[in-house]
Amino acid sequence: MQQRHLGGQGLTVSALGYGAMGISLAYGPSDEQEGIGTLRRAYELGVTFFDTAELYGQGANERVVGRALAPFRDDVVIATKFGFDFTGTRASGLDSRPDHIREVLDNSLRHLGTDHVEVLYQHRVDPDVPIEEVAGTVGELIDAGKVRYFGLSEAGERTIRAAHAVQPVSVLQTEYSLFERDVEDLFPVLRELGIGFVPYSPLGRGFLTGQAKPGAEYPDGDMRQWDQRYQPGNFEKNQEATRLLGELAATKGATVAQLALAWLLARGDDIVPIPGTRSAARLEENAGAAALTLTPEDLARVAEILPHGGYGDRYPAEHMPTWS
């Protein structure tokens, strides 16, 4: 698989990464051994960039990722995240205090079975901790050899600039797909500062696989039960758009998921999507997107089908990230 550069500090990864959240969270019950097998198959397909977080089971996901990647640890890039409060003592539910960052990272390294991670993200911006303190703390961890590169997630321009002035930011991670376009407003500042971009949920939380069902048909614990894009009214509109995208994909000998990932890759060579799946067959399908080239005519047709993104907000209002 082709390689891409993220940021100006030397981070190089496969053109497609792997988002491990769904192994442990948000998409219903899972099997640890299945997760390990899926991660190892991703590596066999050329994926070298693997994304996890403390939030995904408070260590459970990191342990699966660590066990799966142990045989080839030196050949892969592991990203994890800090920033949540699980004690119930902070009103925001967030905690990016310096001591907490250090504690979370040490726990993450233990769970992953490694002495360092390549990328450490702030998972969500903490309004109660100046971003300069966060960036400075991550900088100290980089100097100590526990972290290689600094990342932010769901951050806005002011936060990005302030953090970057203290410790260079290599990558921003935010939801982005054919359905979700808001983050495009930040592309100018990312390119100005030389920061790479990692789209999460690049397949619209599964909708852009062409296998979507109405939200009510998913099991308890699956976020698609409440995702507005899967609810009556929005579901039908998104389903029709996906059907039209599938017709376009078929003319390329591709699937709608491959088209959706290729569209993201075509947005810039500093963009690396991280689709997640538990299916080996889906992994192979996703990997094929890296070789799919879209013409200007293809991109124009996509713009006709979904000029402004999909239908329905990606989070309930009370959980929608606020960029600043």
Side-chain angles (χ1 to χ4, degrees), residues 28-45:
S30 63
D31 177 82
E32 181 175 314
Q33 289 306 309
E34 178 186 45
I36 289 173
T38 302
L39 286 156
R40 290 181 176 170
R41 180 59 181 146
Y43 176 74
E44 290 172 356
L45 292 168

Side-chain angles (χ1 to χ4, degrees), residues 1-2 14-18 46-49 261 265 272-273 275 286-290:
M1 187 180 292
Q2 306 98 318
S14 52
L16 290 171
Y18 179 84
V47 174
T48 63
F49 186 30
L261 292 172
L265 292 170
V272 175
N286 291 346

Side-chain angles (χ1 to χ4, degrees), residues 135-210:
T137 302
V138 175
E140 292 171 4
L141 295 170
I142 290 172
D143 290 343
K146 292 184 175 183
V147 175
R148 300 287 187 265
Y149 305 99
F150 178 31
L152 296 172
S153 180
E154 295 283 0
E157 180 174 352
R158 186 204 65 79
T159 297
I160 293 166
R161 288 188 182 279
H164 193 73
V166 175
Q167 171 61 46
V169 178
S170 292
V171 61
L172 174 72
Q173 181 179 139
T174 296
E175 185 168 355
Y176 182 47
S177 70
L178 282 168
F179 279 3
E180 298 299 331
R181 313 285 183 82
D182 288 351
V183 74
E184 291 178 351
D185 291 344
L186 295 176
F187 284 4
V189 68
L190 297 182
R191 294 196 169 134
E192 174 195 337
L193 298 177
I195 298 172
F197 182 62
V198 172
Y200 73 80
S201 296
L203 295 175
R205 299 190 189 146
F207 211 116
L208 290 163
T209 64

